[in-house]
Amino acid sequence: MKLFKVEAVFEEFDNLKGLPLDIQNLFKQADLVRKNAYAPYSKFLVGCSLLLDNGEVVSGSNQENASYPSGLCAERTAIYFAGATYPKANIVKMAIIAGSTKQITDTPIPPCGACRQTISEYEFKQEKPIEIYFKGEKGSVIYSKSLANLLPLSFNKNAL
């Protein structure tokens, strides 16, 4: 048997003010689109904005369905829209903001497992890391230099 260590390193910012302006703007757009989330069941609204290498910003919000598996998270909504609209563009940065309509969310909310796998696919496809920033409605912001940092030992086409 052989043991190996997998380590993830994140940066935490106290609030948006400590972030570069482009990231602050991504969060503003993510927060705006979050208000368009369709979340009548979970009451949990999520917004995601992507900065593409062509300078475009693409955003998405979560869209639920009474048949729960049929809904789509904000991250995947934004990623798939970017892939359909700008198929040659790479995703450079991603900002995610999430919160409940029941109470204030003051802890950073990372992408779910399905979204991590989707982000991983695009990071692998473009052969460049995607910087990921995530937060709740209030409080600190977590930064990951790549999806590989959030999802080590990921599944990709090399396994097929």
Side-chain angles (χ1 to χ4, degrees), residues 29-39 42 44-50 58-64 71-82 91 94-99 109-112 114-116 118-119:
Q29 293 193 37
D31 197 30
L32 283 173
V33 76
R34 185 177 83 87
K35 293 172 176 67
N36 296 331
Y38 179 68
S42 72
F44 199 74
L45 291 82
V46 182
C48 176
S49 289
L50 312 174
V58 174
S59 300
S61 60
N62 56 316
Q63 302 295 312
E64 294 181 351
L72 200 58
C73 298
E75 299 91 328
R76 286 181 284 153
T77 300
I79 289 168
Y80 295 148
F81 181 74
I91 302 168
M94 171 182 288
I96 305 159
I97 183 168
I109 306 297
C112 74
C115 287
R116 290 181 195 204
T118 299
I119 300 164

Side-chain angles (χ1 to χ4, degrees), residues 15 21 23 25 59-60:
N15 54 50
L21 284 177
I23 301 305
N25 289 330
S59 300

